[in-house]
Amino acid sequence: MEHPKDTLRVGVIGTGVMGADHAHNLARGVRGASLAAVADADVDRATTLAAEVGADQVFADGTEMIGSGAVDAVIIAVPDPFHADLIHAGLDAGLPVLCEKPLTPTVDEAVRIIRKHDALTRPLLTVGFMRRFDPGYLAMRRRIASGSEGALLMTHSCHRNVEAYPGQDSSATVTNSAVHEIDVLPWLAGSPITEVQWLSGRPSSLIDERIDPQLLLMRSADGVLHTVELQVHAQYGYDVRCELVCERGSIEMPPVPALIEAEEYIVSTDLSRRSAYPADWRPRFAAAYRAELAAWVEASLNGTIPEEAATARDSLRTTIVAEALVRSMNEDGARIQVPSIESVMGEED
């Protein structure tokens, strides 16, 4: 199939939950984009998805897709340990890359990617921290920037999942769930995290393989204190909250619309009022994913990256902070100073 030059032929690598969501969003229509191909080692799953969304081609290997000439840009939505090799392949091919978080599981791998990316003639890589595109977080960021409530003093966040992913330890709560808050809070506050501490109280008896819930304390370079409560096995629903405490007031993200049988409403009946929570993050951040994808396509066609998107360096900062929190966890809640990205990169501060 021929594509006009003003259309970005997108390939999705990985056809699990996130890859399938991206493919369906592209198939529903993103201005300036077409879904050209999907790739997955599970070829049957990829073939089934391709038939559902009308993808032109199916590949058994993401690297093969990147080198095929069939795509102009790629979305990487495979398990974390496979990100690095595919990112390197995409950059070598000169293709815009949107990689799901995290950039890589380790700081060292991220540093190698950033050094390669810094040597390019134009930016190609963004990381899928989609909360930066969420209407609620964007509204809070604009409000805090206006200064209407005075200086930001503290933030309070809550992140609860219905159930934990099986086979993961306590550190995965930080490295896989908390990374969203670790990214979005400095973005909201406009100041990087410089000190962290991990704490816990009485653990839930409903989960064995990790401590749950956990409390993260993070202090920014300008003194703002961020508190983040994480409960990955909360049972009742997917629930994300955020409040910004300022000198003359607070700014709180409004409750997410109820989700009852795929409809959005609140029921008042029989002397009661009720709503429902989504089962996972996808309904809660559906608008953010669509906005992120649209911005990425438009920027890729223009040879740039989206202004609000997380860069590779942003993602490295998140990984550095997450590793510091895991160290605090392993050192009985010690306060840990977070190294600067410049020191990790071997650059001058």
Side-chain angles (χ1 to χ4, degrees), residues 127-140:
V127 184
F129 284 105
M130 78 295 178
R131 291 193 189 184
R132 293 171 176 235
F133 294 89
D134 177 70
Y137 281 104
L138 282 166
M140 285 198 301

Side-chain angles (χ1 to χ4, degrees), residues 136-217:
Y137 281 104
L138 282 166
M140 285 198 301
R141 189 175 191 233
R142 288 191 295 267
R143 184 72 182 191
I144 199 67
S146 75
S148 301
E149 283 67 47
L152 177 64
L153 305 176
M154 298 179 68
T155 77
H156 302 296
S157 295
C158 173
H159 182 158
R160 296 174 184 157
N161 295 344
V162 174
E163 59 183 0
Y165 293 113
Q168 294 184 329
D169 62 13
S170 296
S171 65
T173 298
V174 175
T175 59
N176 204 273
S177 293
V179 289
H180 283 293
E181 278 78 17
I182 296 170
D183 172 74
V184 81
L185 292 174
W187 175 78
L188 280 172
S191 181
I193 303 300
T194 56
E195 183 183 50
V196 300
Q197 185 177 16
W198 177 96
L199 298 168
S200 68
R202 180 181 179 180
S204 171
S205 64
L206 301 180
I207 181 171
D208 296 325
E209 59 264 32
R210 68 174 88 181
I211 298 170
D212 192 54
Q214 300 176 18
L215 182 67
L216 312 183
L217 303 180

Side-chain angles (χ1 to χ4, degrees):
M1 180 184 296
E2 292 186 1
H3 296 269
K5 291 182 180 180
D6 59 350
T7 299
L8 192 74
R9 299 173 303 162
V10 179
V12 176
I13 304 174
T15 57
V17 173
M18 279 313 309
D21 270 15
H22 284 306
H24 280 286
N25 280 332
L26 285 163
R28 293 185 189 106
V30 175
R31 183 177 180 180
S34 67
L35 179 59
V38 297
D40 200 302
D42 186 338
V43 178
D44 289 341
R45 183 171 69 178
T47 301
T48 299
L49 178 63
E52 291 175 359
V53 298
D56 295 345
Q57 297 187 54
V58 175
F59 293 86
D61 179 82
T63 305
E64 181 186 355
M65 172 199 283
I66 289 169
S68 68
V71 298
D72 304 314
V74 293
I75 297 172
I76 297 174
V78 296
D80 302 352
F82 302 107
H83 286 184
D85 286 346
L86 290 167
I87 292 169
H88 281 293
L91 298 183
D92 288 341
L95 301 183
V97 175
L98 172 59
C99 180
E100 278 301 319
K101 63 85 184 169
L103 180 65
T104 64
T106 68
V107 166
D108 289 344
E109 288 177 312
V111 167
R112 286 192 289 272
I113 288 171
I114 290 170
R115 285 177 177 156
K116 172 178 281 190
H117 191 253
D118 285 351
L120 300 177
T121 57
R122 69 182 180 98
L124 292 173
L125 177 59
T126 57
V127 184
F129 284 105
M130 78 295 178
R131 291 193 189 184
R132 293 171 176 235
F133 294 89
D134 177 70
Y137 281 104
L138 282 166
M140 285 198 301
R141 189 175 191 233
R142 288 191 295 267
R143 184 72 182 191
I144 199 67
S146 75
S148 301
E149 283 67 47
L152 177 64
L153 305 176
M154 298 179 68
T155 77
H156 302 296
S157 295
C158 173
H159 182 158
R160 296 174 184 157
N161 295 344
V162 174
E163 59 183 0
Y165 293 113
Q168 294 184 329
D169 62 13
S170 296
S171 65
T173 298
V174 175
T175 59
N176 204 273
S177 293
V179 289
H180 283 293
E181 278 78 17
I182 296 170
D183 172 74
V184 81
L185 292 174
W187 175 78
L188 280 172
S191 181
I193 303 300
T194 56
E195 183 183 50
V196 300
Q197 185 177 16
W198 177 96
L199 298 168
S200 68
R202 180 181 179 180
S204 171
S205 64
L206 301 180
I207 181 171
D208 296 325
E209 59 264 32
R210 68 174 88 181
I211 298 170
D212 192 54
Q214 300 176 18
L215 182 67
L216 312 183
L217 303 180
M218 303 185 291
R219 193 182 304 277
S220 66
D222 62 359
V224 172
L225 180 65
H226 305 284
T227 71
V228 181
E229 179 233 304
L230 291 132
Q231 188 178 11
V232 295
H233 206 69
Q235 304 284 285
Y236 71 88
Y238 182 81
D239 189 5
V240 168
R241 309 174 197 174
C242 184
E243 180 186 15
L244 312 180
V245 180
C246 305
E247 292 173 314
R248 295 191 297 271
S250 70
I251 305 165
E252 188 173 355
M253 191 160 56
V256 178
L259 291 155
I260 304 174
E261 297 177 352
E263 299 290 341
E264 297 185 358
Y265 50 74
I266 296 174
V267 175
S268 297
T269 184
D270 297 328
L271 303 179
S272 66
R273 179 178 173 88
R274 69 182 177 90
S275 61
Y277 287 93
D280 61 30
W281 70 94
R282 288 171 295 169
R284 166 62 184 84
F285 289 108
Y289 281 115
R290 290 193 298 269
E292 175 191 52
L293 192 56
W296 176 69
V297 167
E298 181 179 7
S300 297
L301 286 169
N302 293 328
T304 62
I305 60 175
E307 181 179 349
E308 298 293 356
T311 66
R313 285 178 178 259
D314 292 331
S315 186
L316 173 57
R317 287 189 185 94
T318 298
T319 302
I320 293 169
V321 173
E323 287 194 356
L325 282 160
V326 172
R327 179 183 164 191
S328 177
M329 176 192 300
N330 293 334
E331 296 181 11
D332 297 322
R335 292 171 67 173
I336 304 296
Q337 297 299 310
V338 178
S340 68
I341 189 171
E342 291 82 10
S343 66
V344 170
M345 292 288 299
E347 303 167 342
E348 292 185 4
D349 287 321

